[in-house]
Amino acid sequence: MFLKYLEIKNIRSISSYQMEFSNGVNLIYGENGVGKTTILEAIHTLSISKSFRSGYRKNIQKIDTEVMSIVGHVSGKVEKKITYRKTLLQKKIKINEVVVEKNSDLIGVFPSIVLSPEDIDIVSGGNSARLTYVNKILSISNKDYLHTLTRYSKIIKLRNRCLGTNRPYNEVVVWDEQLPVLAEKIWQYRIDFFEQFNVYFKEFWKKIIPSELARIEHKPPKHENQKSLLLDLKSRFEKDKIRGITSVGPHKDKINFYFGNIDIKDQASQGEKKIFLVVLKVAEVKYLHKITNKKPVLLLDDLFAKLDSSRGKKILQLIDNKYQTFITTTDNSVESYFNNFEKVNFIKLKKNNELCSVA
């Protein structure tokens, strides 16, 4: 599966853009502000109906325009045309001219995996960012996980609302009785995920830094069965009521990333964190391909930032021509990094979205 053709209208600074892409590596380069990241945002929007730039999602439409649109032609076993159209009042998504009623129905049709500067929080930030990352992978690859997690999260919010308004336990127990069966499913899916994902992560890490150890550790709470979780929820009720939050469950799982024997967020350099993050994303590509039998598109925004040329070239050892990859950079000199690649589509953008050259 790969994106054959893309057409953009009225997104951020781009008024109009059309381009055909290679099914291998597409290197998009140019100065800051010419629209490189916007092209990746458009591709990602065709995948899950929103930009990957969480702080800028509401402002994706170009100022003073009435309609924005993205059209992508996806090549695979079955050709697909995905259309995303948004006005100031509504949005409409179509697959082969058939309207998609729910955003969740779009997920998995054209999978994409993105690495952006914002993703550094996965390795540098707290546990919440890591849980969000894992939940996203599992939600894309497993519809039952998505539905289970959605239901679980809704009940946790309702339970927390009761805790925050000082309700007695007999009004909270109705939620507690529903949580264990959902929690058990979520934990089992996560345990299975990490068992397989870690195999891919270790495989790719050895290609980059075989002399250093790195690992991912998942620590779910220990509950022998659903009954023990229910008892734990009850025993923590008074303390939870004081804090206004539920202190046990899958939303409290711990995920640690280690570089050597140290959590990567504490002492690793920016370059080491970037390499760890790239390996995570490449392992994600392999995992999703294996689980869904669909080849995800890999979107690498500003890939070479915070990396010297040696590390930049090492990272490219992970780029597999079996997967369509989009890389953005401001550094023209990185063209030389791709001398050993069979097929690279070099796309240079200039201001006002003028396509300067394609080779």
Side-chain angles (χ1 to χ4, degrees):
M1 178 174 291
F2 69 95
L3 181 64
K4 186 176 181 180
Y5 171 82
L6 179 70
E7 179 180 317
I8 300 172
K9 290 184 180 178
N10 296 329
I11 300 180
R12 301 208 191 280
S13 62
I14 294 181
S15 298
S16 179
Y17 176 88
Q18 302 88 33
M19 185 65 195
E20 290 188 1
F21 297 114
S22 162
N23 62 356
V25 176
N26 297 271
L27 180 68
I28 305 171
Y29 61 98
E31 298 177 3
N32 286 324
V34 298
K36 301 183 301 298
T37 299
T38 300
I39 293 172
L40 300 195
E41 284 185 276
I43 297 171
H44 191 262
T45 300
L46 293 177
S47 181
I48 65 169
S49 82
K50 59 186 176 182
S51 165
F52 54 80
R53 300 176 69 192
S54 57
Y56 301 89
R57 286 174 182 163
K58 293 182 180 180
N59 303 318
I60 189 171
Q61 186 169 338
K62 189 175 182 180
I63 297 173
D64 295 329
T65 61
E66 295 183 358
V67 180
M68 61 152 280
S69 66
I70 308 166
V71 179
H73 293 262
V74 178
S75 182
K77 291 181 180 179
V78 178
E79 298 282 329
K80 290 185 176 68
K81 177 183 176 183
I82 304 175
T83 305
Y84 178 98
R85 188 176 186 273
K86 183 176 180 295
T87 66
L88 296 176
L89 298 177
Q90 65 176 353
K91 70 176 181 181
K92 184 174 289 187
I93 304 168
K94 293 182 179 180
I95 300 175
N96 292 339
E97 304 303 331
V98 177
V99 175
V100 174
E101 299 295 343
K102 298 183 296 183
N103 288 346
S104 59
D105 292 336
L106 178 65
I107 294 175
V109 173
F110 170 58
S112 69
I113 294 166
V114 63
L115 168 64
S116 75
E118 293 181 8
D119 286 325
I120 198 66
D121 194 44
I122 295 171
V123 292
S124 295
N127 194 65
S128 177
R130 299 176 184 189
L131 268 177
T132 298
Y133 173 64
V134 170
N135 282 335
K136 182 178 178 181
I137 298 174
L138 279 165
S139 295
I140 291 171
S141 61
N142 186 329
K143 292 287 188 182
D144 187 54
Y145 182 88
L146 174 61
H147 295 151
T148 304
L149 181 67
T150 300
R151 179 62 182 159
Y152 174 85
S153 300
K154 183 178 180 180
I155 292 174
I156 287 293
K157 287 180 181 179
L158 292 169
R159 186 180 196 272
N160 288 346
R161 189 182 302 167
C162 290
L163 294 170
T165 53
N166 205 31
R167 301 299 178 102
Y169 186 69
N170 62 2
E171 293 187 29
V172 176
V173 69
V174 64
W175 307 123
D176 286 9
E177 290 173 345
Q178 297 179 57
L179 288 174
V181 63
L182 298 172
E184 187 175 59
K185 287 182 70 174
I186 291 169
W187 278 323
Q188 190 56 58
Y189 279 134
R190 287 180 183 171
I191 289 167
D192 293 344
F193 162 76
F194 279 105
E195 183 178 345
Q196 188 165 357
F197 188 83
N198 267 309
V199 172
Y200 299 138
F201 178 84
K202 290 175 182 177
E203 172 191 339
F204 292 123
W205 182 265
K206 287 180 181 178
K207 289 184 179 181
I208 301 299
I209 313 180
S211 60
E212 295 282 356
L213 295 177
R215 73 182 193 277
I216 303 169
E217 188 177 82
H218 170 228
K219 289 186 175 180
K222 293 181 180 179
H223 291 98
E224 295 178 359
N225 49 46
Q226 294 178 25
K227 184 178 179 180
S228 69
L229 176 56
L230 183 60
L231 291 173
D232 203 5
L233 287 165
K234 185 176 181 179
S235 68
R236 294 168 184 251
F237 173 69
E238 292 300 331
K239 290 183 178 179
D240 285 356
K241 191 161 63 170
I242 292 171
R243 299 175 62 193
I245 59 171
T246 302
S247 60
V248 64
H251 62 293
K252 291 296 182 179
D253 281 12
K254 299 296 183 184
I255 300 173
N256 298 316
F257 296 151
Y258 289 101
F259 186 77
N261 292 317
I262 301 169
D263 193 305
I264 196 168
K265 74 175 187 294
D266 295 329
Q267 294 190 26
S269 69
Q270 290 300 309
E272 289 164 343
K273 290 178 181 178
K274 184 69 173 282
I275 290 173
F276 196 101
L277 190 55
V278 173
V279 176
L280 279 177
K281 295 292 182 174
V282 176
E284 184 182 343
V285 169
K286 186 74 174 285
Y287 174 83
L288 287 176
H289 184 196
K290 178 70 174 179
I291 296 299
T292 66
N293 202 30
K294 294 179 181 178
K295 290 184 179 181
V297 172
L298 185 56
L299 311 175
L300 303 173
D301 190 27
D302 206 8
L303 175 62
F304 302 105
K306 303 185 185 300
L307 296 175
D308 56 33
S309 61
S310 174
R311 284 175 169 165
K313 291 175 182 178
K314 277 188 174 182
I315 277 180
L316 289 180
Q317 295 175 31
L318 301 178
I319 304 301
D320 192 330
N321 271 326
K322 290 190 298 184
Y323 299 98
Q324 186 180 35
T325 303
F326 294 84
I327 300 172
T328 69
T329 182
T330 57
D331 186 358
N332 295 354
S333 68
V334 300
E335 283 192 23
S336 62
Y337 294 4
F338 295 87
N339 290 337
N340 295 326
F341 280 68
E342 294 181 5
K343 183 168 56 175
V344 181
N345 184 23
F346 295 104
I347 304 169
K348 185 174 182 180
L349 296 182
K350 296 182 71 176
K351 289 184 178 179
N352 301 318
N353 320 122
E354 179 186 348
L355 190 62
C356 182
S357 62
V358 179

